[in-house]
Amino acid sequence: MRNILILVLCMASFWSTAQQPLSLEACYAAAIQNYPIAKQRDLWQQKNHLETAALYRAKLPKIDLQAQATYQSDVTQLPIAIPNMAITPANQDQYRLTAQANQLVYHGGLIGVNVKLNALQMATEQQEISIQLYQLQSRIAPLFFSILVLQEKNLLLLAKQKQLALKSAEMQSGVQSGAVLIASKKTLEAESLRIKQQLTEIKYQRKNQIENLATLTVLNIDQNVVLVRPTIQTIVAKTNQRPELQLLDLKSQQIDLQKNIIGKNNLPKINAFGQIGYGNPGLNMLDNSFQTFYVLGIRASWKVLDWNQSQKEQQALTLSKGLIATEKERFVIQNQVQLQETENQSYALQEMVTTDKEIIRLREYVEKSAAAQLKYGVITASEYVVALTELYEAKTNEKCHLLQLALAQENYQLLQGQDILNTQ
């Protein structure tokens, strides 16, 4: 009994969770958190951490161990004899074991610049992810609003069906007394069945779109979920924060760092080194025995002439930066056109909503008049159905225009790159 009670409580908890209203912001947040591409953010950060650590390792001394044994066909000998001195030539078989350490002393801050470039490359990849998530939001918004439209249409059709049922019940006594033709009642019943067909069509359209929304957001969305209609707000122009613009800025910064790296590659490179060893012979070639030895020193290298290779590479990077600048200008112009179109669409929808209210007021008057005329047999049921249908079409138009207005305002925010920044 206890297990059954626990099972019932769990099912009730799941059902209450599944029936919670779902907002557009919640869909955005879920997509950004759960969509597979979003999981690449942590991977890029880990990759950057490892690559940065590897770059800093260049500042640490490099230690090499070497061992060799050789046999030479000939060795160095003095061409003359020195009185009272016997000089034994080196053995033809020679042996050497060495350990050498190299320490970078100076290379013009090249490591630090490479670390910055690596961080910028990581930021660029992260921004590419932001662009893909932005595009995902641009797909989620119209899908969310299309489900809302179906949700509102469903409610209006149910209300219309209920009103038809009431009228049909009112006519029942008239049919029984012979005052009302049975055909009039059948007309209302046929219209009710037509509404049932429309409800069935909406049901499966909504099912398909909810499944698509669940796929994009990686959420388990119940078919009976109620979507929250976003609040209609006044369009406000803000600073454009589209991720594409930020990506172009990051690419431009990368070019600046790449030009800096080219310049630093031409600076002197200074290394300190040390070597200790044990071998036969050692550093003294005239001592034919195993000896320990060491060597300390400093080495400098400087690329004096590269035949203007660095200059050509920097000129090419300058041209690449110019291409990025023109691409940014093109994007800003195109984005401005889209914003203007969306803003004008919003203003048009606001005026249409105002007109919708007046149309509904007039249609309600006509429907009430038609209902009274139907009650006293002045008009046929078909004529009443026309008046009722026109009323609910007007109400449907108002709901659709309101949702289209909300979508236009949401698109305006997306075109400015606002929502993706607020949900990350």
Side-chain angles (χ1 to χ4, degrees):
M1 183 68 182
R2 181 183 177 187
N3 292 336
I4 295 175
L5 179 61
I6 292 174
L7 179 61
V8 171
L9 290 175
C10 289
M11 291 177 65
S13 175
F14 172 78
W15 179 254
S16 62
T17 302
Q19 297 302 309
Q20 287 182 353
L22 182 63
S23 67
L24 180 59
E25 291 74 16
C27 290
Y28 285 161
I32 289 175
Q33 181 178 0
N34 301 328
Y35 205 69
I37 190 68
K39 299 176 183 179
Q40 292 185 5
R41 291 186 182 278
D42 290 338
L43 297 176
W44 279 112
Q45 289 179 349
Q46 294 174 26
K47 181 175 180 289
N48 172 255
H49 177 74
L50 293 173
E51 290 176 344
T52 300
L55 287 170
Y56 278 123
R57 293 295 189 274
K59 293 184 176 181
L60 300 177
K62 304 295 186 295
I63 299 177
D64 297 322
L65 291 175
Q66 293 183 350
Q68 70 176 33
T70 61
Y71 181 86
Q72 302 176 197
S73 61
D74 200 1
V75 294
T76 303
Q77 299 186 30
L78 292 178
I80 59 174
I82 301 177
N84 301 321
M85 183 179 296
I87 300 177
T88 304
N91 294 333
Q92 289 177 283
D93 56 324
Q94 299 185 1
Y95 308 91
R96 175 166 293 204
L97 175 66
T98 60
Q100 180 166 316
N102 288 277
Q103 172 66 59
L104 178 65
V105 178
Y106 174 79
H107 199 188
L110 185 62
I111 294 175
V113 178
N114 275 308
V115 168
K116 292 180 181 178
L117 179 61
N118 191 61
L120 264 180
Q121 289 172 341
M122 187 270 294
T124 301
E125 295 296 340
Q126 296 275 29
Q127 200 61 28
E128 293 277 8
I129 295 173
S130 295
I131 291 173
Q132 294 185 55
L133 292 176
Y134 163 78
Q135 294 170 346
L136 182 62
Q137 284 185 295
S138 299
R139 294 174 60 190
I140 288 174
L143 185 59
F144 184 91
F145 278 94
S146 67
I147 298 173
L148 270 176
V149 168
L150 293 175
Q151 180 175 295
E152 295 294 341
K153 285 183 176 180
N154 189 77
L155 292 174
L156 288 172
L157 285 172
L158 289 173
K160 181 181 177 182
Q161 190 179 52
K162 182 178 179 181
Q163 191 161 348
L164 283 172
L166 291 173
K167 293 299 177 186
S168 180
E170 290 176 1
M171 296 178 68
Q172 181 63 32
S173 59
V175 171
Q176 292 175 350
S177 64
V180 178
L181 294 175
I182 191 171
S184 296
K185 187 172 183 298
K186 296 297 182 182
T187 299
L188 298 184
E189 291 175 355
E191 181 64 18
S192 182
L193 288 174
R194 192 174 73 88
I195 292 175
K196 184 178 180 181
Q197 285 183 329
Q198 293 174 329
L199 288 171
T200 300
E201 184 180 3
I202 287 176
K203 175 183 176 181
Y204 286 99
Q205 286 179 349
R206 190 173 185 273
K207 179 178 182 295
N208 180 60
Q209 294 184 4
I210 286 178
E211 289 173 352
N212 291 338
L213 183 63
T215 301
L216 292 178
T217 57
V218 199
L219 287 174
N220 185 16
I221 303 177
D222 188 85
Q223 287 295 323
N224 297 318
V225 68
V226 176
L227 301 188
V228 180
R229 186 169 66 183
T231 305
I232 296 178
Q233 301 175 353
T234 304
I235 284 180
V236 179
K238 299 180 181 179
T239 303
N240 197 322
Q241 298 182 17
R242 282 286 290 271
E244 294 92 340
L245 292 176
Q246 298 177 42
L247 176 65
L248 292 173
D249 288 338
L250 288 171
K251 288 184 175 180
S252 182
Q253 294 174 34
Q254 279 191 54
I255 289 177
D256 290 334
L257 280 178
Q258 288 169 348
K259 292 172 70 174
N260 194 5
I261 288 174
I262 291 173
K264 289 185 178 297
N265 278 329
N266 290 329
L267 293 177
K269 182 178 181 181
I270 301 175
N271 285 279
F273 64 91
Q275 184 186 76
I276 59 174
Y278 180 73
N280 181 5
L283 297 181
N284 184 0
M285 299 297 295
L286 299 179
D287 187 349
N288 192 19
S289 63
F290 281 92
Q291 307 166 31
T292 58
F293 59 88
Y294 69 90
V295 178
L296 299 175
I298 191 166
R299 182 183 298 113
S301 61
W302 191 355
K303 187 187 294 184
V304 179
L305 180 64
D306 66 354
W307 305 103
N308 290 329
Q309 178 184 351
S310 299
Q311 183 180 1
K312 298 298 182 184
E313 290 175 349
Q314 290 193 343
Q315 289 175 349
L317 288 173
T318 300
L319 292 175
S320 296
K321 189 172 181 180
L323 292 172
I324 291 174
T326 56
E327 173 62 20
K328 186 175 180 179
E329 291 176 5
R330 183 203 64 80
F331 183 86
V332 169
I333 292 173
Q334 183 178 354
N335 183 251
Q336 188 60 37
V337 170
Q338 292 173 329
L339 286 170
Q340 290 172 352
E341 290 176 349
T342 305
E343 187 176 12
N344 290 330
Q345 180 188 15
S346 177
Y347 292 148
L349 286 167
Q350 287 175 354
E351 293 185 12
M352 292 172 71
V353 168
T354 302
T355 307
D356 284 331
K357 295 184 185 301
E358 181 63 19
I359 293 174
I360 290 172
R361 186 183 68 81
L362 295 173
R363 291 298 182 191
E364 285 177 341
Y365 178 84
V366 172
E367 187 275 332
K368 288 179 181 178
S369 176
Q373 292 175 353
L374 176 65
K375 183 176 181 181
Y376 296 105
V378 177
I379 62 173
T380 65
S382 297
E383 291 173 310
Y384 171 74
V385 167
V386 171
L388 182 65
T389 300
E390 288 176 343
L391 170 61
Y392 277 92
E393 284 180 353
K395 289 184 176 182
T396 300
N397 287 337
E398 182 195 28
K399 296 295 184 182
C400 290
H401 290 153
L402 284 170
L403 290 173
Q404 288 171 0
L405 176 59
L407 176 59
Q409 293 174 342
E410 179 64 23
N411 285 336
Y412 193 88
Q413 298 300 317
L414 286 172
L415 286 169
Q416 294 183 109
Q418 298 296 323
D419 282 329
I420 191 169
L421 299 175
N422 295 333
T423 51
Q424 285 185 29

